[in-house]
């Protein structure tokens, strides 16, 4: 029997073995030179943890509250597209994994199971990720379906006026299936002779004219709290607060949009400072270890969203793999907290990490 994976990187290898190359490349790939893709992961390794000793860590509580929902850990499943490309049970398996671990799942607009199927599959707390389509009637319908099916928040992905250039998808002629949420509304089996059909589909559906004033429109059609995903600067963080969002997600879309955008962990603190505690700041990008989660929390994130790692678990073992990946990251976070002298997430403070910039200043 093959050895059990002991970390996320080993799950990635299992996913590579399990998936057709086209789908593995779709999930793992980043934009253009993939500079930001590498940086998202490597920037974590330049942040050092400052542990404290002789603290009673015999009991560790990782639980936290996210927009009023109690969760077992400051970890959420990031919304990622088309889970049935990874596993035949798709987002239903992911949601069940989230429910078993008592964490929140972000469901993608571009899911391969419908919002209704996911909602009726388990009792996971779910947030609904969306794009704004040129067809506002379809966008509004999707928001209402999410509301009706008990989703707890809307995550507006705001960094995608166009799809980033993912060269592996172009070479592989990546094809998206008919996306279940849009069946009977629009065909997503859009064919392009340019290579990847997902790029072509995004071009015909996503509203590239979307801007800050449109948050007002979104607020007018839903009572759900709105999180804005894709913030990388203090300027946009301030605009997001002015627009009245309930939270901010620092994200570069898994480095799949603008190459040479900053590694998310390198700009988290800038955003946290700009927000001044007015709304929670969440984080995604490059998380592979519990130590990464600890670093993001120390730099001010309320919780961390996990994207690719969950897909690797799903591709390798379905619902069980999702559970194992989350459990693995929770265990690693718990160990990091114990070895750093933190009994609860509130105990993790800015003084528990030192960034590369600070080390550089110390040396001067
Ligand atoms: C079919 C259009 O967030 C990604 C996803 C968005 C995909 C658009 C799919 O691949 O980054």
């Amino acid at each position: 029997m093959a050895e059990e994976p002991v970390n996320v990187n080993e799950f990635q290898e299992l996913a590579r073995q399990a998936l057709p190359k086209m789908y593995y490349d779709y999930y793992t790939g980043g934009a253009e030179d993939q500079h930001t893709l590498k940086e998202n992961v490597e920037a974590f390794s330049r942040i050092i943890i400052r542990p404290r000793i002789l603290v009673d860590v015999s009991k560790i509580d990782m639980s936290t509250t996210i927009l009023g929902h109690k969760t077992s850990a400051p970890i959420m499943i990031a919304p990622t597209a088309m889970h049935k490309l990874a596993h035949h049970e798709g987002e239903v398996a992911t949601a069940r994994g989230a429910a078993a671990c008592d964490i929140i799942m972000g469901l993608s607009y571009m899911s391969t199971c419908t919002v209704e199927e996911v909602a009726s599959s388990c009792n996971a707390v779910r947030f609904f990720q969306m794009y704004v389509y040129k067809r506002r009637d379809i966008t509004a319908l999707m928001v209402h379906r999410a509301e009706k099916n008990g989703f707890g928040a809307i995550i507006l992905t705001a960094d995608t006026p166009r799809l980033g250039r993912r060269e592996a998808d172009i070479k592989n002629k990546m094809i998206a299936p008919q996306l279940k949420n849009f069946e009977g509304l629009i065909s997503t089996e859009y064919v392009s002779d340019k290579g990847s059909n997902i790029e072509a589909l995004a071009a015909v559906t996503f509203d590239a004219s979307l801007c800050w004033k449109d948050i007002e429109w979104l607020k007018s059609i839903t009572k759900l709290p709105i999180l804005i995903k894709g913030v990388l600067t203090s300027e946009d963080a301030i605009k997001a607060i002015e627009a009245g969002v309930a939270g901010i997600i620092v994200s570069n879309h898994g480095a799949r949009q603008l190459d040479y955008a900053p590694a998310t962990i390198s700009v988290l603190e800038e955003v946290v400072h700009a927000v001044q505690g007015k709304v929670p700041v969440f984080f995604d990008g490059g998380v592979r270890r519990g130590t990464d989660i600890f670093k993001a929390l120390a730099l001010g994130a309320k919780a961390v969203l996990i994207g690719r790692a969950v897909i690797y678990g799903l591709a390798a073992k379905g619902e069980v793999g999702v559970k194992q990946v989350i459990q693995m990251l929770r265990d690693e976070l718990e160990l990091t907290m114990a070895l750093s002298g933190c009994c609860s997430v509130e105990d993790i403070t800015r003084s528990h990490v030192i960034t590369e910039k600070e080390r550089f200043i110390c040396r001067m």
Side-chain angles (χ1 to χ4, degrees):
M1 206 179 73
E3 267 182 24
E4 277 295 307
V6 296
N7 58 41
V8 165
N9 289 334
E10 291 187 8
F11 261 107
Q12 176 167 0
E13 177 51 23
L14 290 186
R16 193 186 63 73
Q17 291 164 18
L19 293 180
K21 181 175 181 321
M22 179 192 285
Y23 298 159
Y24 178 77
D25 286 353
Y26 168 70
Y27 289 126
T28 53
E32 298 184 358
D33 296 331
Q34 310 197 106
H35 171 81
T36 300
L37 185 72
K38 290 180 209 99
E39 269 294 294
N40 262 3
V41 174
E42 282 170 14
F44 275 110
S45 66
R46 298 193 289 267
I47 298 170
I48 300 303
I49 296 173
R50 300 180 67 243
R52 309 301 150 73
I53 56 169
L54 294 178
V55 177
D56 176 358
V57 288
S58 53
K59 287 197 190 69
I60 301 228
D61 177 10
M62 289 190 292
S63 68
T64 190
T65 302
I66 297 175
L67 300 183
H69 303 278
K70 189 123 169 63
T71 73
S72 69
I75 296 175
M76 289 165 62
I77 295 189
T80 50
M82 303 186 283
H83 289 196
K84 278 196 181 169
L85 303 186
H87 186 271
H88 66 275
E89 288 175 344
E91 289 80 4
V92 161
T94 314
R96 288 187 174 138
C101 294
D102 199 9
I103 63 162
I104 296 171
M105 168 180 181
L107 178 71
S108 167
Y109 206 58
M110 302 296 188
S111 56
T112 38
C113 300
T114 62
V115 292
E116 292 78 10
E117 283 168 334
V118 173
S120 61
S121 69
C122 64
N123 62 358
V125 176
R126 302 165 301 273
F127 291 177
F128 183 64
Q129 175 271 343
M130 53 168 287
Y131 295 100
V132 173
Y133 272 9
K134 288 174 187 159
R135 291 257 325 253
R136 291 284 169 101
D137 57 330
I138 292 181
T139 308
L141 178 68
M142 293 300 299
V143 170
H144 291 144
R145 279 169 66 184
E147 266 183 351
K148 203 170 145 205
N149 284 281
F151 283 67
I154 295 290
I155 299 177
L156 173 67
T157 299
D159 58 9
T160 319
R162 293 183 184 194
L163 206 70
R165 185 178 164 82
R166 299 120 188 222
E167 293 177 357
D169 293 347
I170 296 170
K171 282 191 192 153
N172 292 334
K173 298 196 184 303
M174 169 67 192
I175 299 288
Q178 173 62 44
L179 299 174
K180 287 288 172 193
N181 284 322
F182 301 103
E183 230 159 31
L185 295 171
I186 44 170
S187 166
T188 57
E189 286 167 310
Y190 190 82
V191 180
S192 157
D193 53 10
K194 279 207 304 201
S196 143
N197 84 333
I198 59 167
E199 192 184 337
L201 177 63
V204 294
T205 51
F206 292 2
D207 184 355
S209 75
L210 191 75
C211 48
W212 286 106
K213 67 175 170 36
D214 295 306
I215 307 282
E216 206 47 56
W217 169 77
L218 190 54
K219 281 166 54 187
S220 78
I221 62 160
T222 183
K223 296 260 173 304
L224 291 177
I226 298 168
L227 304 180
I228 189 147
K229 178 166 174 283
V231 173
L232 293 172
T233 61
S234 56
E235 291 91 326
D236 280 347
I238 290 165
K239 284 187 179 149
I241 303 284
E242 286 166 359
V245 301
I248 285 176
I249 305 179
V250 173
S251 169
N252 55 26
H253 207 121
R256 295 158 75 75
Q257 286 297 101
L258 176 65
D259 202 13
Y260 296 94
T264 41
I265 195 66
S266 70
V267 293
L268 172 59
E269 201 169 22
E270 170 183 332
V271 173
V272 167
H273 279 157
V275 166
Q276 295 178 337
K278 289 178 183 144
V279 295
V281 175
F282 302 94
F283 171 87
D284 79 14
V287 174
R288 300 289 181 274
R289 286 286 188 185
T291 50
D292 299 338
I293 300 172
F294 182 92
K295 289 171 187 179
L297 298 179
L299 290 170
K302 173 77 184 160
V304 167
L305 285 78
I306 311 293
R308 287 188 179 87
V310 165
I311 291 291
Y312 300 149
L314 180 68
K317 301 180 179 203
E319 176 187 335
V320 171
V322 172
K323 250 189 300 193
Q324 285 182 352
V325 163
I326 298 297
Q327 190 55 48
M328 213 172 239
L329 289 170
R330 269 200 319 210
D331 289 348
E332 288 179 5
L333 174 62
E334 191 184 52
L335 178 62
T336 309
M337 288 170 68
L339 297 179
S340 305
C342 301
C343 301
S344 70
V345 289
E346 290 76 36
D347 289 345
I348 306 172
T349 65
R350 181 61 182 83
S351 72
H352 283 95
V353 290
I354 178 157
T355 61
E356 191 184 28
K357 199 159 121 199
E358 287 164 335
R359 279 185 291 140
F360 180 73
I361 293 167
C362 289
R363 281 200 300 268
M364 284 198 338

